[in-house]
Amino acid sequence: MNHLDPLWLHSFTAIVDAGAVARAAQRVHRTPSAVSTHLRQLEAVLGAQLIERTTRSMRLTAEGERFLPYARRLLELQDAAREALRPAREAPVWRVGASEYFMPARLAEMLSVFEREADGARLELLWASSAQLQRLWAAGEVDLAVVTSAVPLREARLLRREPLAWVAAPGHVPAADRPTPLVLLGPECPVREIALAALARTGHPHHVRLSCGGSQAAVAAVRAGWGVGCLNASAIPADLLRLARDDPRRWASPGRLAFYLLAKPAMGPAAKALADWSASLH
């Protein structure tokens, strides 16, 4: 037996599904005469009549009934073979940025929030300073970002506010009669700005002993006894001492730190899930 042309099979199944040659021709984007020719060629190769045609109707013969499932299966196998050779589609990438001050002890939980919403997308997280994240957002290089800012951000949604506190390593509380050595981030850091403004208002003597490139570096320096740091509530490790708690007369909180959420429209469900998770935490 000669090979079966897939065009013949398409025309045959289209006639069966449409119930008429003219309608079948529309389905397979051929002329009615071409569809009729395909059917005749298929029947000739098979040596069997598949469809009985009258002036008023068309119906499958017994041979046509037996052959129809094989015809459909052959077409399905052809489609599956094509699909198997197509290049695999790369998963979309979610580029998410998060301030180092935002829930560092709950980073795994935050990642789980995004993973539940990802629906096959690959998550790429950048844990960085807010200044860097805002520059990347402006350049369109992140899809969602959680940043801190000393002033409201017009295009962003307020995510949460946290009180700031002065922190030091146990055993390294600075003397009251000397300027306080500070461990802070660089000039672009909102926490640094808020902390220095608070000290200026109270006239508390101080000097910046160490400027760090990241909040985790600042935590390490405070632990080492280099000076007093300023951190928001969720970023304070359990082993550091909150000075405001021990001596509120000299170490009142410098204020509150605001976190803002920037998200592209496509990230709407993920942004809502993150906001709901953040609101559930104290």
Side-chain angles (χ1 to χ4, degrees):
M1 183 178 69
N2 294 329
H3 295 296
L4 301 179
D5 191 323
L7 288 176
W8 305 345
L9 300 176
H10 275 295
S11 292
F12 168 60
T13 56
I15 292 171
V16 173
D17 293 337
V21 170
R23 290 195 295 271
Q26 294 176 347
R27 291 192 176 197
V28 296
H29 307 291
R30 302 278 175 175
T31 63
S33 62
V35 169
S36 296
T37 298
H38 292 164
L39 177 61
R40 288 195 300 270
Q41 290 171 321
L42 178 61
E43 291 176 328
V45 168
L46 292 174
Q49 184 180 1
L50 302 176
I51 294 178
E52 288 182 350
R53 297 171 287 275
T54 68
T55 56
R56 293 188 177 182
S57 66
M58 306 182 75
R59 69 180 182 86
L60 284 170
T61 64
E63 291 82 359
E65 292 278 3
R66 292 198 301 272
F67 180 70
L68 179 61
Y70 291 100
R72 295 195 192 280
R73 181 60 179 152
L74 287 170
L75 292 174
E76 290 171 0
L77 286 171
Q78 178 182 253
D79 292 340
R82 286 200 191 99
E83 188 65 30
L85 295 177
R86 285 179 185 163
R89 291 182 297 177
E90 289 190 12
V93 178
W94 281 8
R95 297 163 298 174
V96 174
S99 162
E100 296 170 302
Y101 288 109
F102 185 66
M103 309 282 186
R106 295 179 178 266
L107 184 59
E109 293 178 43
M110 182 174 66
L111 291 175
S112 296
V113 171
F114 287 118
E115 287 169 350
R116 286 194 295 270
E117 298 293 326
D119 192 26
R122 179 168 61 82
L123 185 62
E124 182 180 311
L125 180 67
L126 176 61
W127 207 29
S129 70
S130 291
Q132 181 182 0
L133 293 176
Q134 288 188 59
R135 286 192 289 269
L136 290 172
W137 172 262
E141 295 182 16
V142 290
D143 302 306
L144 181 149
V146 178
V147 300
T148 62
S149 177
V151 296
L153 299 177
R154 287 190 304 173
E155 59 181 334
R157 167 184 179 178
L158 178 63
L159 189 60
R160 67 184 286 121
R161 294 184 190 273
E162 293 185 10
L164 290 163
W166 301 103
V167 294
H172 291 277
V173 178
D177 57 350
R178 280 180 271 175
T180 300
L182 300 177
V183 174
L184 298 171
L185 269 64
E188 292 184 310
C189 176
V191 174
R192 177 190 178 106
E193 182 180 344
I194 295 170
L196 292 178
L199 293 175
R201 286 195 303 270
T202 60
H204 193 118
H206 63 276
H207 66 93
V208 177
R209 189 178 188 192
L210 181 65
S211 289
C212 302
S215 64
Q216 298 310 300
V219 167
V222 172
R223 280 194 178 117
W226 275 73
V228 171
C230 184
L231 293 172
N232 54 299
S234 70
I236 300 175
D239 62 316
L240 293 185
L241 185 67
R242 300 189 189 206
L243 298 184
R245 184 177 299 169
D246 294 342
D247 190 352
R249 292 167 298 173
R250 291 190 298 112
W251 296 106
S253 169
R256 296 171 70 84
L257 183 63
F259 290 95
Y260 293 92
L261 177 60
L262 297 158
K264 292 181 178 178
M267 298 293 289
K272 182 181 184 305
L274 181 66
D276 290 345
W277 172 72
S278 175
S280 72
L281 304 175
H282 298 292

